[in-house]
Amino acid sequence: MEGPGGFTTDGAIHTLKPSALRTFYLVFSAVYGSAIVALFYFHAKALLSFTTLVSFSINMALLLSDIFLAFMWSTSVGLRVFTVLRKEFPENLEKVMKRSDYPALDIFICTADPYKEPPMSVVSTALSVMAYDYPTEKLSVFVSDDGGSNLTLFAFMEAAKFARYWLPFCRDNNILERSPNAYFESNYPSSPETQKIKTMYENMKERIQHVVETGKVADEYVNNDNEREAFIKWTDQFSRQNHPAVIQVLLDNTADSDMVGQFMPNLVYVSREKSKSWHHHFKAGALNALLRVSALMTNAPIILVLDCDMYSNDPRTPLRVLCYYSDPKILSQYAFIQFPQRFPGVNKSDIYAGEFKRLFEINPMGYDGLMGSNHFGTGCFFSRRAFFGDPSSILSPEFRELRPDNAVNKHLRSIETMTLAHEVAGCDFENKTKWGSEIGYRYGSLVEDYYTGYRLHCEGWRSMFCNPERSAFLGEAPFTVGLLEVGFSKYSPLTFGFRHLTPCMALAYAEYAFWPLWSIPIAIYAFLPQLALLNNVPIFPKVSEPWFLMYVFLFLGSYAQDLIDFVSVGGTCRKWMNDQRMWLVKGLTSSLLGSIEYLLKVLGISASGFNVTSKVIEQEQSKRYEQGIFEFGTHSAMFVSLTMAALINLASFTWGMLQFSVGSSMEGLLIQMLLAGYGTLNSWPIYEAIIFRNDKGKLPTITTTIATLLACALYVAASFTLKHN
């Protein structure tokens, strides 16, 4: 049903077409690739004609940097050349599928800490998907609380009560923003009914926040014996890392109805068993527990995985998915359909590059033209079958009831179902099984989303990227650098990937796997040319030499191509500039320290940890962010390396300008001058945080002091080396 000619196929429920920029990228890649070959020829000549050990070392450092840059560029060529665009027509779905034939849908929502991930945010996410335009008898929401908090359970008990009013309110008024938090923060139409619902929502919010603030569920909030029994497991021995499995059915779609008499979706709270002596595999382990529990209770063939802060922004999103999964052939061959992450909370210029356009929109369209989008960890509709072996064979789990083709015929709250559900949520259940290695979400990396999607593709599954005009999901997301574990493992895209994927797809996955290694060329180009400039040592071609134009083309060509990518998906030049700045910042901070940490881990010196990212933002921080002011605030080793680079680039550029003003010839130092100027321009927020600011978000004095001393020491060491060799 795909219309290769464009988006106008009559009666189609989905279409596909290549990017209009494909020819441009093919030509540009050929020219740019030739320039890279010429660059390595230039490096070879320089290395063969070195006169001192220092000049040899400088040329080797530049060669190393350019090798990494060339490798990372090569990994993205296929993504640009094979970019495709999809479009769905859910309004045509009824022509091929009756509503009564819609498959069941299980929705997994993950949370881990009621203090870092406010329960009201998680509740709003759950309510937004419970209100989908989908048959409620086929809709189930499973909430994984990996923190094992009775505060979170209380919040969802309150949500179950509020849902009786919220769901019919959304249906009757055809509301698109079905997250109550998002809806009541929008410019919603006022009416007596709306005010009544808002009052109920505010009362619920007040009760939940009071419970979180006090840290306990007071007796006044427990209304009956059933609710009291639900909290019985929280004894004095119950802790975050040591507790039994807790599974509570809060709503049953065969028994619980809303205020107009329509049955509501299933709502199930799950907190898997934890033991201090057992490794829990963080989010991947929690999702695998949900896979097993949901298999016993509903076993829906389609699963939506959501982070707790990614709420639904379009109630028709499942219908878009059915535009593809209504075709049995697609359902049997495509492991998942990935939607982009969108973040409405970014400020006008997106100073932190929080939209992650390249990560969540530009690159996935390229993946989609190869074997399918990579997996982001949220906003993804899976075929349950994909978690149980390759498309041609089903791996047998421990119980027949866990098989993806098993028909559930027992009641949700039956003793047999609940007993078995608690068993499969136990921390010892996976011992000596295929869970995490061949079945379910895969273990082996902190970035289990990337790793799981990669392994599914290697098994022969395909995927899709669905990018509708109206965002399917909105929220906030952190950035992580736990990718090198995959890049240097036995499942590396450069070895295992090339054996099981197409070359372009393997290289595309390699881009993410080795993403932290951007820190190597960024760090070298942030310090080496500038230190050489301060000592009047040219390390690049002169303006009068033809090789000078090659460097200019490689620099400007790369940035021009990236700008075109960014603007083609709705970005602005201002946001692109900030995106480039944050790429440099991450290269000198999180990617650099993440790479060092990984190296230390390999050497057995340290181990990676996992912390839940706090979603709580102070009012002053929010105000500074809206004003486009960078937030530093506390001392961090990451800020030291960043400040060092800012100071050295400023000193280098200033020295160069002074030499130019007194008539000194800068012909051999112009490229270094341009790099120093570029670094200085991108470092403006750091200079501002050091000199002009007095708020709590300024750069701490201790950070500036340490960075200044280290920058001076680095300059002295470089000067001594350059002058005595």
Side-chain angles (χ1 to χ4, degrees), residues 21-71:
L21 294 171
R22 174 174 289 188
T23 301
F24 164 76
Y25 285 138
L26 277 170
V27 174
F28 179 83
S29 297
V31 175
Y32 200 83
S34 300
I36 290 176
V37 172
L39 174 67
F40 288 131
Y41 173 74
F42 173 79
H43 278 304
K45 285 183 61 179
L47 285 172
L48 292 174
S49 60
F50 76 93
T51 56
T52 66
L53 182 61
V54 171
S55 64
F56 177 78
S57 300
I58 290 174
N59 281 303
M60 279 300 297
L62 294 176
L63 174 60
L64 178 65
S65 298
D66 292 341
I67 288 174
F68 276 110
L69 290 172
F71 168 71

Side-chain angles (χ1 to χ4, degrees), residues 36 57 110 136 147 172 298 371 391 408 450 482 501 533 548 572 656 685 706:
I36 290 176
S57 300
C110 298
T136 54
D172 295 344
T298 54
M371 291 182 66
V408 175
Y450 162 88
L501 303 172
L533 175 60
F548 174 83
T572 64
I706 294 174

Side-chain angles (χ1 to χ4, degrees), residues 454-580:
Y454 166 62
R455 290 288 303 277
L456 289 174
H457 279 134
C458 287
E459 291 171 8
W461 289 99
R462 298 182 67 86
S463 62
M464 296 181 186
F465 183 61
C466 189
N467 188 19
E469 289 184 15
R470 180 177 178 85
S471 302
F473 304 100
L474 297 174
E476 300 176 4
F479 183 81
T480 182
V481 289
L483 296 162
L484 286 175
E485 289 177 311
V486 181
F488 290 111
S489 73
K490 67 178 181 179
Y491 296 109
S492 172
L494 296 183
T495 53
F496 187 84
F498 265 93
R499 294 197 301 271
H500 294 84
L501 303 172
T502 64
C504 284
M505 191 68 172
L507 281 173
Y509 266 114
E511 179 182 18
Y512 284 153
F514 295 100
W515 189 274
L517 296 183
W518 276 116
S519 58
I520 295 174
I522 289 175
I524 290 174
Y525 274 106
F527 289 101
L528 180 58
Q530 293 79 356
L531 290 168
L533 175 60
L534 284 170
N535 288 277
N536 203 29
V537 176
I539 60 175
F540 293 111
K542 296 179 180 179
V543 177
S544 57
E545 297 176 348
W547 295 110
F548 174 83
L549 294 177
M550 177 196 65
Y551 270 94
V552 171
F553 170 73
L554 286 170
F555 182 85
L556 295 181
S558 175
Y559 274 78
Q561 177 182 248
D562 200 78
L563 175 59
I564 292 171
D565 286 343
F566 201 87
V567 173
S568 68
V569 293
T572 64
C573 290
R574 180 69 179 273
K575 287 184 177 181
W576 173 78
M577 290 174 64
N578 284 324
D579 185 83
Q580 292 300 305

Side-chain angles (χ1 to χ4, degrees), residues 395-396 398 430 432-440 442:
L395 296 175
S396 178
E398 291 61 39
E430 294 182 358
K432 297 180 181 179
T433 71
K434 298 175 182 178
W435 284 94
S437 58
E438 298 178 57
I439 296 178
R442 307 307 162 84

Side-chain angles (χ1 to χ4, degrees), residues 576-698:
W576 173 78
M577 290 174 64
N578 284 324
D579 185 83
Q580 292 300 305
R581 172 184 285 146
M582 286 309 300
W583 171 67
L584 296 172
V585 167
K586 290 169 185 174
L588 289 170
T589 56
S590 57
S591 292
L592 180 61
L593 293 187
S595 300
I596 294 172
E597 182 182 1
Y598 173 76
L599 177 61
L600 293 176
K601 178 184 176 182
V602 170
L603 296 175
I605 298 175
S606 69
S608 296
F610 175 84
N611 290 304
V612 177
T613 303
S614 177
K615 309 298 191 301
V616 180
I617 301 176
E618 295 179 0
Q619 188 173 357
E620 287 188 13
Q621 286 179 311
S622 179
K623 184 178 179 180
R624 287 192 290 270
Y625 177 67
E626 289 302 321
Q627 294 173 342
I629 300 174
F630 271 68
E631 189 74 27
F632 295 98
T634 58
H635 173 66
S636 169
M638 290 196 297
F639 295 155
V640 171
S641 56
L642 185 63
T643 307
M644 283 178 63
L647 294 174
I648 287 177
N649 274 269
L650 178 61
S652 176
F653 184 68
T654 302
W655 184 90
M657 290 300 293
L658 289 173
Q659 294 301 306
F660 183 79
S661 65
V662 298
S664 298
S665 174
M666 303 297 292
E667 185 186 18
L669 299 170
L670 184 58
I671 292 180
Q672 288 158 258
M673 277 282 293
L674 293 174
L675 287 173
Y678 176 73
T680 301
L681 179 65
N682 280 289
S683 299
W684 170 252
I686 301 169
Y687 308 139
E688 184 182 42
I690 295 173
I691 303 170
F692 302 111
R693 291 171 56 184
N694 294 312
D695 54 73
K696 292 182 180 179
K698 67 171 292 186

Side-chain angles (χ1 to χ4, degrees), residues 52-130:
T52 66
L53 182 61
V54 171
S55 64
F56 177 78
S57 300
I58 290 174
N59 281 303
M60 279 300 297
L62 294 176
L63 174 60
L64 178 65
S65 298
D66 292 341
I67 288 174
F68 276 110
L69 290 172
F71 168 71
M72 296 305 285
W73 175 81
S74 69
T75 62
S76 66
V77 171
L79 294 179
R80 290 186 168 96
V81 171
F82 292 101
T83 294
V84 296
L85 307 173
R86 294 184 185 271
K87 193 169 185 178
E88 307 77 37
F89 303 91
E91 63 273 13
N92 294 334
L93 188 62
E94 61 184 19
K95 298 177 182 178
V96 298
M97 194 176 203
K98 296 179 181 178
R99 192 174 176 87
S100 59
D101 294 331
Y102 288 0
L105 171 63
D106 285 346
I107 301 174
F108 296 170
I109 299 174
C110 298
T111 185
D113 190 324
Y115 295 102
K116 292 183 178 181
E117 297 170 336
M120 275 307 302
S121 174
V122 191
V123 161
S124 285
T125 294
L127 288 167
S128 73
V129 293
M130 289 171 67

Side-chain angles (χ1 to χ4, degrees), residues 307-420:
D307 279 346
C308 63
D309 59 344
M310 293 297 295
Y311 62 87
S312 168
N313 186 55
D314 185 353
R316 290 167 59 84
T317 297
L319 305 185
R320 292 191 178 277
V321 173
L322 287 189
C323 286
Y324 300 105
Y325 277 165
S326 60
D327 184 344
K329 292 183 179 179
I330 290 180
L331 187 61
S332 64
Q333 296 175 14
Y334 285 73
F336 57 88
I337 297 175
Q338 178 69 63
F339 285 78
Q341 295 192 47
R342 298 259 175 82
F343 315 107
V346 299
N347 61 10
K348 291 181 179 180
S349 57
D350 191 14
I351 58 172
Y352 297 133
E355 289 185 344
F356 297 108
K357 279 190 174 293
R358 189 171 297 98
L359 196 65
F360 296 141
E361 194 166 356
I362 297 171
N363 285 355
M365 290 191 295
Y367 274 95
D368 202 5
L370 296 170
M371 291 182 66
S373 171
N374 54 320
H375 174 39
F376 307 155
T378 184
C380 189
F381 287 80
F382 280 94
S383 164
R384 183 183 290 269
R385 167 68 181 79
F387 289 114
F388 294 86
D390 62 57
S392 61
S393 61
I394 300 179
L395 296 175
S396 178
E398 291 61 39
F399 299 147
R400 177 183 58 81
E401 292 89 342
L402 299 181
R403 286 177 59 93
D405 53 1
N406 180 60
V408 175
N409 52 23
K410 295 182 177 64
H411 192 270
L412 204 65
R413 288 189 172 113
S414 70
I415 294 176
E416 184 179 354
T417 297
M418 293 300 290
T419 300
L420 196 53

